[in-house]
Amino acid sequence: MNYSILILRRAQKELSRLPVQTYEHIKDSIRSLSQNPRPHGCLKLSGRKGWRIRIGNYRIIYAIDDKQTTVTILHIGHRRDVYN
């Protein structure tokens, strides 16, 4: 089952500010979420709603709606900034 990917405007801005190499890795990871929204190594967040995956020092925070088959990218950022 394929999930639709929605990226919030805030996450789009954060993505556009990343270094080119990091941008490519994160873009590929976001695309792969449409095939498997809960990949190996993902973590359900406890302090807030959502899931997170790691790409080096960067994190993608996202929400999964299984009924609508959508993945919404909420936040993309460096690990020291993304949880604030």
Side-chain angles (χ1 to χ4, degrees):
M1 177 183 318
N2 287 338
Y3 282 68
S4 301
I5 303 289
L6 304 171
I7 303 177
L8 296 182
R9 184 176 303 272
R10 177 173 113 187
Q12 289 175 358
K13 287 181 183 180
E14 293 166 343
L15 184 60
S16 69
R17 294 183 191 131
L18 296 175
V20 176
Q21 187 174 4
T22 304
Y23 172 85
E24 293 298 324
H25 287 302
I26 289 179
K27 185 175 73 170
D28 293 340
S29 296
I30 290 172
R31 283 189 183 140
S32 71
L33 289 174
S34 68
Q35 298 296 319
N36 182 11
R38 294 174 185 90
H40 178 71
C42 74
L43 181 67
K44 183 154 177 47
L45 298 175
S46 60
R48 64 194 251 195
K49 290 186 179 181
W51 295 77
R52 96 72 217 177
I53 56 174
R54 296 174 35 190
I55 295 89
N57 286 329
Y58 290 86
R59 306 292 185 262
I60 300 172
I61 307 296
Y62 62 99
I64 302 170
D65 185 349
D66 289 317
K67 291 180 183 176
Q68 299 292 326
T69 63
T70 59
V71 172
T72 305
I73 307 300
L74 304 172
H75 195 47
I76 301 168
H78 194 275
R79 64 188 178 103
R80 70 174 172 255
D81 302 324
V82 78
Y83 299 110
N84 297 331

